[in-house]
Amino acid sequence: MTAQKPLSLVILISGRGSNMVSIVEAIQHDNLPAQVSAVISNRPQAPGLDYAAAQYIPTTTIDHQAYDDRLSFDHALAEEVNKYQPDLVILAGFMRILTPEFVQQFSGKLINIHPSLLPKFTGLNTHQRAIDAGEAEHGASIHYVTEELDGGPVVLQARVTVLPDDTSDTLAKRVLAEEHKLYPEAIRQIATGQITPPK
Ligand code: GAR
């Protein structure tokens, strides 16, 4: 049997980075066949950067506030990502809308986690909106990124039951626990070819 080459990942974050942590931990403790080549944040104060640095993962900040427009920010971001020639670019709580230019450049390699059962509740405040809509079930989705915001093909989902006394916070907490299993699983299935990029 030939050993599988680990997938090289560049992970983009904006904040806490708990999904990034779950991927690093799955590599370290659960034989996820991947390696994190870099963690890039658009916010210098993102707490996830400290965790990544403590794991000796190269970290960079491309501060969106230092750029005049989305296109120039995305150019700088793409340049940084390309330094690592990753197999996958993982959006893990990366809260910037990417330009079509960026998305096309990484087409088939760019995946995102979104805290809803897409196509329901694209955008923000998904947990409160699911409660307000009286949903019986809510969850998280992994999808390939296309030019349409939260609109690319969904490859894996996790579901949770919405409880009668749920608040946005309690629901978010249960969904997040599922996200932490879902992202490593999606990367594993991409590594084994069970999940393939859209044509
Ligand atoms: C996660 O719940 C993720 O699904 C969501 O942000 C959170 C980031 O948490 N992403 C989006 O809303 C993308 N539109 P984390 O920084 O702890 O991984």
Side-chain angles (χ1 to χ4, degrees), residues 2-3 16 31-33 45 50 59 66-68 75 79 88 95 103 108 114 117 121 136 139 144 149 168 176 186:
T2 51
R16 181 175 57 182
N31 295 322
L32 179 66
Q45 309 302 338
D50 296 335
T59 58
Y67 295 85
D68 289 339
H75 273 144
E79 199 170 88
L88 289 176
M95 304 307 275
V103 171
H114 182 76
L117 294 173
F121 310 116
Y144 278 98
L149 181 67
S168 174
L176 192 64

Side-chain angles (χ1 to χ4, degrees), residues 13-21 91-95 112-116 123-124 126-127 140-141 149-150 172 175-176 179-180:
I13 65 169
S14 296
R16 181 175 57 182
S18 70
N19 276 289
M20 177 266 297
V21 172
L91 305 182
F94 185 71
M95 304 307 275
N112 182 41
I113 190 161
H114 182 76
S116 78
L124 298 174
T126 56
H127 308 301
S141 305
L149 181 67
D150 300 328
V175 171
L176 192 64
E179 292 185 42
H180 293 163

Side-chain angles (χ1 to χ4, degrees), residues 121-186:
F121 310 116
T122 61
L124 298 174
N125 301 322
T126 56
H127 308 301
Q128 189 61 53
R129 287 161 59 211
I131 292 170
D132 293 347
E135 296 288 327
E137 275 193 319
H138 183 50
S141 305
I142 307 283
H143 67 96
Y144 278 98
V145 177
T146 61
E147 290 174 31
E148 190 192 339
L149 181 67
D150 300 328
V154 171
V155 292
L156 215 55
Q157 288 185 319
R159 294 170 180 274
V160 303
T161 301
V162 180
L163 303 175
D165 57 353
D166 258 332
T167 63
S168 174
D169 283 352
T170 59
L171 186 54
K173 206 170 160 191
R174 287 204 313 289
V175 171
L176 192 64
E178 293 301 320
E179 292 185 42
H180 293 163
K181 294 181 258 175
L182 194 65
Y183 228 155
E185 181 56 26

Side-chain angles (χ1 to χ4, degrees), residues 9 11 20 24 28 36-39 49 51-60:
L9 315 178
I11 304 183
M20 177 266 297
V24 173
Q28 290 175 345
V36 182
S37 300
V39 171
L49 287 172
Y51 170 86
Q55 301 294 314
Y56 303 104
I57 297 167
T59 58
T60 318

